[in-house]
Amino acid sequence: MARPREFDELQATEAAMHVFWEHGYDGASIARLLDGMGMTKGSLYKAFSDKRSLFLTAMARYEAAQVTPAIAMLRDAAEPDGRKRIACVFESVADAVRNGDRRGCLLCSAAAGPSFDDPEIAEVVDGLLDEMRKAFEVALGRFMSPAQCEPMARVLQTQYVGLRILARAQVPADDLDRSARAVLAMLGERSVI
């Protein structure tokens, strides 16, 4: 008879997500993960097989907790002003830094890290970035022609990823605000942030 697991898998995944988010894939050693998750090595490997599988599970948790709400904000039909939707997403970067969160974005870190070497991680990262780009297109569609939306969505995606990486690189929140304002000025918005 198998013994029941002595940990909550959702809590363990959440804890792993935070370790990966803070330290990146390479910096999240097994020892660091075990400490952050409060697990033994045997329990970790039994539940998640290996670090890579744990990372993919943590990425799924990050998608649900962070990426999906940002995409929902950009697609929110209740807010008819697409510029305001975009401004909220960009403003959230500086707000996180002001609130002491310097982790940046786990998705953005993954795009610059393990996705280079691992096709499955790359597929997950590419898929989430593509969803973000499509959500920018939806918001842009409120005030731009369809022909302009796709290329501008790619610019916004690039700028957003860049801002999240700059946040991780300890760039001051005021500098992030200035960058966000420059992006919004490009869209014809002057006073949202």
Side-chain angles (χ1 to χ4, degrees):
M1 179 177 207
R3 289 178 38 201
R5 290 190 175 153
E6 297 176 12
F7 66 92
D8 180 306
E9 194 166 328
L10 182 58
Q11 285 179 339
T13 300
E14 179 87 11
M17 177 190 77
H18 287 287
V19 173
F20 283 121
W21 195 354
E22 183 174 345
H23 300 285
Y25 184 82
D26 292 330
S29 65
I30 293 298
R32 211 172 239 162
L33 286 162
L34 293 174
D35 184 51
M37 296 168 72
M39 295 178 71
T40 65
K41 190 182 275 191
S43 294
L44 184 142
Y45 286 116
K46 187 172 186 174
F48 300 103
S49 301
D50 56 20
K51 179 180 171 180
R52 181 182 162 281
S53 297
L54 175 58
F55 181 74
L56 288 167
T57 302
M59 280 295 296
R61 177 70 191 122
Y62 185 80
E63 176 184 2
Q66 300 292 320
V67 178
T68 298
I71 288 171
M73 184 185 308
L74 288 168
R75 292 180 177 270
D76 184 10
E79 172 53 68
D81 188 339
R83 286 181 183 94
K84 283 186 181 176
R85 296 182 209 174
I86 294 166
C88 286
V89 169
F90 276 87
E91 187 178 35
S92 70
V93 179
D95 286 347
V97 169
R98 278 193 194 87
N99 291 326
D101 187 348
R102 288 291 192 167
R103 297 174 295 179
C105 170
L106 179 58
L107 172 60
C108 300
S109 296
S115 68
F116 285 131
D117 301 321
D118 188 295
E120 190 174 356
I121 292 173
E123 184 178 341
V124 169
V125 168
D126 290 345
L128 292 175
L129 289 174
D130 193 50
E131 286 301 312
M132 181 67 85
R133 180 191 52 77
K134 289 175 184 173
F136 277 125
E137 281 186 51
V138 170
L140 289 165
R142 300 299 293 183
F143 61 94
M144 284 187 163
S145 72
Q148 295 173 308
C149 289
E150 194 272 339
M152 184 55 73
R154 290 187 185 283
V155 170
L156 292 177
Q157 175 192 45
T158 302
Q159 294 300 314
Y160 180 76
V161 170
L163 277 180
R164 295 300 297 252
I165 289 171
L166 289 174
R168 187 173 180 87
Q170 309 298 308
V171 169
D174 289 344
D175 290 349
L176 298 173
D177 268 340
R178 281 192 286 278
S179 295
R181 280 195 299 273
V183 169
L184 296 172
M186 184 173 56
L187 300 175
E189 182 59 51
R190 292 171 296 286
S191 62
V192 177
I193 293 182

